[in-house]
Amino acid sequence: MGRFRQLKTYITVVLAAAAVTVPTLSLLAQISDPALDLRNLDMNTPACLDFYQFANGGWIAGNPVPAAYPFWGSFNELQNRTDEALRDLLTEATQHPLGSTEQKVGLFYTTCVQADAVEQRGAAPLVATLTNLDAITDQSGLQAEIARLHDEGLTPLFSLRTAPDPQDSSTAIAHLSPDGLGLPDRNYYTRTDEASEQTRRAYVAHICRSFILLGVPDGEARKDANIVLSIETQLAQASMSLVDQRNPDQVTHLMKLTDLQALTPRFDWSAYCQRRGISTLTHLNVRQPAFFQAVDTLLDRVPLAEWPVYLKWQLVLRALPYLSDAFVEEQQRMNQVVEGSKELLPRWKRCVAHTQTLLGQAAGQLYAHHSLSAEAKQRALTLVGNVKAALRASIEKLDWLSEPTRMQALAKLDALVEKVGYPDRWLDYTSLMMSEGSFYDNVIRAATFATRRDVAMIGKPVDRTEWVLPPTLVNAYYDAAQNEIVVPAGILQPPLFNIAADDAVNYGSIGAVIGHELSHGFSDRGRQYDAKGNQRDWWTPEDTARFSARAKSVAQQFDSSPVTVGFRVNGELTLGENLADFAGLTVAYRALEETLRGKLADKRDGFTPEQRFFLGWAQVWCWNVRPEALRAMVLTNAHAPNNWRVNGPLANMPAFAQAFGCQPSDPMVRAENERARIW
Ligand SMILES: [Zn+2]
């Protein structure tokens, strides 16, 4: 799991965190009944040879990826159940009092599922903006249009978002980031392998066809598509790699607006701020100054006549899923290239996904208390408490940590805030107006509401009640700047969390996920923030060196993990998540041992509690994945592919070898001198 990131256009970034969802098949047969479904196992593969296959082989063989999906696994199953409940709730939501949040989100969904009205309007909703873009005649006009598109939630060239001040996490400031690419990441533009070349050719064809759908003549559309690729490639080349961005210091450059103005003389920041309604802005974090210098150069070097073409594409790209079928299908053609999905989801499923993307907190409010009983919430909170206590015990005992760092680590853990289920306070949607007419207009209204609300928080105290993820999402996160973990109701469902199941399975599944999130605060990135969420180094140099050496051994283990022909796991990119998996499993296992202490440890389904713990972890990550999606994941995702998330950390754990009686020579047991030891 990770800090929620803006979804890129084509790919479901964080595994299962994406709002894209839901098949019709019920794939994990009756998953809510047994804690472990023995049919999911592959008894022909020894547990000590390949535990992922042993635990999930039966499921993998019986559950191919449905046509509309890039991958399919237990997270999809959970999201599917939530989405079906949301569909029913959204369908009836327009009956809530006029002007209520429920009524507004219901209206949004209703205008989305009304296919005939959407079809009839075709590309008409874009005409006014396209006309404005055609009317650009100078730099000032160009920059005015960029600001206007940003206000509507688009992100040509860059994005401006509000987040805590790295030096004072209680105050929100503006952060400027590179943006404005149509492909998932910079390396889609810069890599020279055949698959990457092919994807770029498909992308140009996709831009071209989309412009033709808008009525642009063939020859001109082809020329325009190449202009777009050229501009985006230059933006990609000027931006940092995902690995470099993982270091908080590398993306923290606090400066005055006047400094930024001096750095980028061709972009009029004061006019931009005026247009965004933030003319009082005086200082901000420019995450990648070199990128903005490059943009400044591009503003001069790219002919003025080419900029409207790029902006039009940014508009169309974002609009594709919300327009008539021809546009939606065009987007699906490109999705197929990038992530492998072979057909569109049914309309209602797409509409539920759009609702969660654009009005996630409103949908969450509607869904609140739908599935999470008071008893389940209490049990989840107990689990969090026990796993946290195990992490505390672990920090108290670590032999490689000096006393000064240990004291600060414990203070940070004690200050950590846990949020489970739903936010205590719901977002105020009073100023959001929804229309009964045009779905696309409602999309723009919802997006504009979000950007205006976001920039209005600049300079204000950070609202600690706010959630970054909608509560309906199947995911969890640690927010370093708030020193908090958030476990939404969406993930508190079987098989990840099952109140009918024994402790062993729950500690292995949701317990280890909670341990994963808690440990992020002490992982390679998270440890660079203090108890208050300020970016500050509180480790002694010796402790930093010892931690880094231990972390490096994990990076090396994953670096040598093959994924698919020509692709290996990127140990640096996935380091933080792999450390969190390892730590989460270690502390959740200790919490289970603590819970079992003094109790009779009976076998169930033929497995000991210790074995069931590890089976619980493995079944969290069972999946099937298309090669395109796997490739995209390795290139862009901070999480390793699922089989490595299971086998990687377990091979470091003596408790695993002991539970299944593995021998030192078995593949699931790392040699003593290669074994990682951290927590
Ligand atoms: Zn994570």
Side-chain angles (χ1 to χ4, degrees), residues 1-3 476-478 516-517 520 576-577 580-581 639 645:
M1 331 265 132
R3 184 78 156 74
Y477 66 91
Y478 172 75
H516 168 119
E517 302 305 343
H520 265 312
E577 298 303 328
D581 282 343
H639 303 79
R645 292 189 74 172

Side-chain angles (χ1 to χ4, degrees), residues 408-458:
Q408 299 226 39
L410 291 172
K412 181 172 182 182
L413 186 64
D414 289 339
L416 190 144
V417 172
E418 306 108 30
K419 295 176 176 170
V420 171
Y422 305 95
D424 291 332
R425 238 181 38 180
W426 296 105
L427 224 62
D428 181 357
Y429 283 98
T430 309
S431 65
L432 173 68
M433 297 296 154
M434 284 284 123
S435 96
E436 284 185 22
S438 163
F439 172 55
Y440 187 80
D441 287 353
N442 284 340
V443 167
I444 296 299
R445 285 167 196 222
T448 307
F449 171 84
T451 60
R452 291 191 183 165
R453 195 182 158 274
D454 187 58
V455 297
M457 295 188 294
I458 294 172

Side-chain angles (χ1 to χ4, degrees), residues 577-637:
E577 298 303 328
N578 294 332
L579 290 173
D581 282 343
F582 185 24
L585 277 161
T586 304
V587 298
Y589 186 81
R590 286 190 195 135
L592 173 66
E593 296 286 81
E594 214 35 62
T595 309
L596 292 176
R597 194 187 293 272
K599 289 184 196 155
L600 268 181
D602 282 344
K603 279 192 176 185
R604 285 174 69 166
D605 307 323
F607 293 106
T608 65
E610 287 77 11
Q611 290 172 330
R612 291 169 68 77
F613 172 90
F614 293 111
L615 287 166
W617 175 249
Q619 80 171 3
V620 168
W621 302 110
C622 70
W623 76 341
N624 278 303
V625 56
R626 299 186 190 282
E628 296 88 344
L630 192 57
R631 188 174 145 261
M633 184 179 195
V634 174
L635 289 176
T636 63
N637 201 307

Side-chain angles (χ1 to χ4, degrees), residues 107-108 111-112 117-118 121-129 152 315 318-319 322-323 358-359 432-449:
L107 201 51
F108 180 90
T111 55
C112 180
V118 174
R121 297 201 71 202
L126 302 186
V127 169
T129 307
E152 293 184 356
L315 171 73
R318 200 276 299 266
Y322 312 122
L323 299 175
L358 284 147
L359 292 173
L432 173 68
M433 297 296 154
M434 284 284 123
S435 96
E436 284 185 22
S438 163
F439 172 55
Y440 187 80
D441 287 353
N442 284 340
V443 167
I444 296 299
R445 285 167 196 222
T448 307
F449 171 84

Side-chain angles (χ1 to χ4, degrees), residues 26-34 36-37 39-40 59 63 77:
S26 179
L27 293 162
L28 271 179
Q30 298 191 326
I31 49 171
S32 57
D33 294 333
L36 289 174
D37 190 331
R39 288 171 297 179
N40 292 344
W59 185 94
N63 295 280
E77 184 74 24

